[in-house]
Amino acid sequence: MAEGRPLVVSLVVGEGLVASFGLGVSNEVFGYDRPEIGLPRFDFALVAERPGVLRTDTGIGILVEHGLDRLDRSDIVLVTAWEVVDRLPSPALLDALRRAHARGATLVSHCTGVFALAATGLLDGMRVTTHWRYAGELAARYPQLDVDPAVLYVDNGRILTGAGTAAGVDALLHLVRREWGAAAANALAREMVVPPHRDGGQAQFIDAPVPACSDDLLGLVLEWAGRHLAEDLSVDVLARRALMSPRSFARRFKATTGTTPHAWLLAQRLAAAEELLENSDALVEEIARLVGFGTAAGLREQFTRRRGVTPRAYRQTFRAGAVSRLGTAPVQLDGHRPGEGGAGRVGGDQPLVQPQLGQPA
């Protein structure tokens, strides 16, 4: 990317109807200049096959000024909820999406926007997700896809698919974390007043409403655990603090958070390791001890498996002085690996979708 050139981010509006929530989330992430938190400048705009004044799904008029030709110079292309999932996108839009992908742009779908990406053929053979309500329809219409209805988002490198509504926040924060680091993602999450990181494999929905943290002993235990990552945090230890049996604790934890204690703890430790790698000069051995992996080998194994690069490579990437690893336009994220799994089914043998970090340049 030429020095000073903003990254071009385009939000595709489908069939003349703007999805309000997807527009709001996308604009919140890419519509503001936030260099103070480590983000590059973005040139964010809406794109439609027929620009003009379009209506949101709540009836508000929105002016869309750009046509599909903008996708030919976009670094990131967002496809928000596709309100008419029973209708194929136009050949012009499908060709524009294919061209953007061939150039190296990153494509991100939100909710039913995955139907538009699926129609391009670019998702064939990939693990993808959408709002759980539409997962069966997606799998039936596109049997070559591996549709997982349970997770928040799936990262296939240059194509990310997110589930419905609030999962759009998670998917875009994951993209920010992947490209510009944990510190930038956490700072952005603070500005948006949302949780900084929910792993892609977390459930879309949970078995019971989440109790208010002020009245919830489990919430207090998790807050304590987050401050004591270097300690032994086995289920037995956490259950004792929650005044429960290990079995009851594990069951309540899954029902309340949508994930397991082990998966939650691993995510917390990896996130803490990311921040220390970005913002401190501590040795990998010391970071491993501070976040609870014990040894550098333990941290290296889990970090490489879950993030796709070694801790050392991650540090070099985010401490190299570059504002963005999106480098030159179009974006290059060759280090990603596509998702695995059987095709044409809802679900999958692996309940945890492991987002992969692109290899450093």
Side-chain angles (χ1 to χ4, degrees), residues 22-32 34 44 188 191-192:
L23 169 61
V25 170
S26 300
N27 184 70
E28 183 67 30
V29 174
F30 297 113
Y32 299 91
R34 294 185 174 101
F44 174 75
L188 178 58
E191 292 201 17
M192 295 174 66

Side-chain angles (χ1 to χ4, degrees), residues 14-358:
E15 297 295 329
L17 187 64
V18 184
S20 299
F21 191 89
L23 169 61
V25 170
S26 300
N27 184 70
E28 183 67 30
V29 174
F30 297 113
Y32 299 91
D33 288 335
R34 294 185 174 101
E36 71 280 1
I37 66 172
L39 292 179
R41 291 188 303 124
F42 298 111
D43 174 4
F44 174 75
L46 275 65
V47 167
E49 187 170 354
R50 290 178 290 276
V53 177
L54 306 178
R55 294 289 174 185
T56 69
D57 49 10
T58 57
I60 300 173
I62 296 289
L63 176 61
V64 181
E65 298 180 327
H66 298 273
L68 296 179
D69 59 307
R70 180 181 164 92
L71 300 189
D72 290 329
R73 59 185 181 88
S74 295
D75 299 295
I76 300 173
V77 176
L78 311 172
V79 185
T80 189
W82 196 260
E83 297 297 330
V84 282
V85 297
D86 58 343
R87 192 181 313 164
L88 284 175
S90 70
L93 175 55
L94 296 180
D95 287 343
L97 291 171
R98 294 186 189 107
R99 288 197 308 272
H101 182 264
R103 288 178 53 253
T106 296
L107 309 184
V108 185
S109 70
H110 173 223
C111 194
T112 52
V114 69
F115 281 82
L117 292 187
T120 66
L122 296 173
L123 303 184
D124 289 2
M126 289 186 179
R127 180 185 292 269
V128 300
T129 194
T130 186
H131 191 292
W132 57 267
R133 188 183 300 277
Y134 298 99
E137 175 66 21
L138 181 65
R141 189 175 304 176
Y142 299 100
Q144 64 273 33
L145 307 184
D146 177 16
V147 181
D148 190 336
V151 298
L152 295 176
Y153 54 84
V154 180
D155 182 346
N156 284 297
R158 286 196 294 110
I159 299 180
L160 292 82
T161 56
T165 316
V169 178
D170 299 297
L172 292 185
L173 282 177
H174 167 70
L175 180 62
V176 169
R177 178 180 295 271
R178 193 187 79 179
E179 299 305 327
W180 299 287
N186 291 343
L188 178 58
R190 283 194 295 272
E191 292 201 17
M192 295 174 66
V193 197
V194 297
H197 184 231
R198 291 199 297 171
D199 189 80
Q202 186 165 325
Q204 284 191 34
F205 50 87
I206 56 180
D207 296 333
V210 179
C213 288
S214 59
D215 300 324
D216 180 26
L217 182 57
L218 179 59
L220 296 176
V221 170
L222 298 190
E223 183 180 351
W224 174 85
R227 298 195 307 266
H228 296 81
L229 293 176
E231 300 179 16
D232 173 22
L233 296 178
S234 65
V235 171
D236 287 347
V237 170
L238 297 176
R240 281 198 298 272
R241 292 194 68 88
L243 306 177
M244 301 180 194
S245 70
R247 174 177 290 185
S248 295
F249 176 82
R251 183 168 55 247
R252 181 175 177 184
F253 192 102
K254 181 66 181 290
T256 302
T257 68
T259 189
T260 66
H262 174 76
W264 179 89
L265 183 58
L266 179 60
Q268 299 302 306
R269 284 173 165 159
L270 287 172
E274 285 178 338
E275 289 220 49
L276 288 171
L277 288 166
E278 292 177 30
N279 301 315
S280 81
D281 294 319
L283 297 176
V284 172
E285 290 79 3
E286 177 65 7
I287 292 175
R289 185 189 66 80
L290 290 172
V291 302
F293 284 108
T295 66
L299 170 59
R300 191 176 299 112
E301 176 187 1
Q302 291 296 335
F303 202 95
T304 303
R305 179 183 302 172
R306 302 291 173 143
R307 298 296 188 258
V309 293
T310 65
R312 180 175 179 273
Y314 183 92
R315 169 173 273 171
Q316 289 175 337
T317 299
F318 290 105
R319 304 283 301 275
V323 173
S324 166
R325 282 179 29 247
L326 285 172
T328 58
V331 290
Q332 300 296 324
L333 299 172
D334 297 333
H336 294 282
R337 297 189 294 273
E340 299 176 350
R345 58 191 173 85
V346 178
D349 298 328
Q350 296 173 314
L352 176 63
V353 177
Q354 299 176 358
Q356 303 294 335
L357 179 72

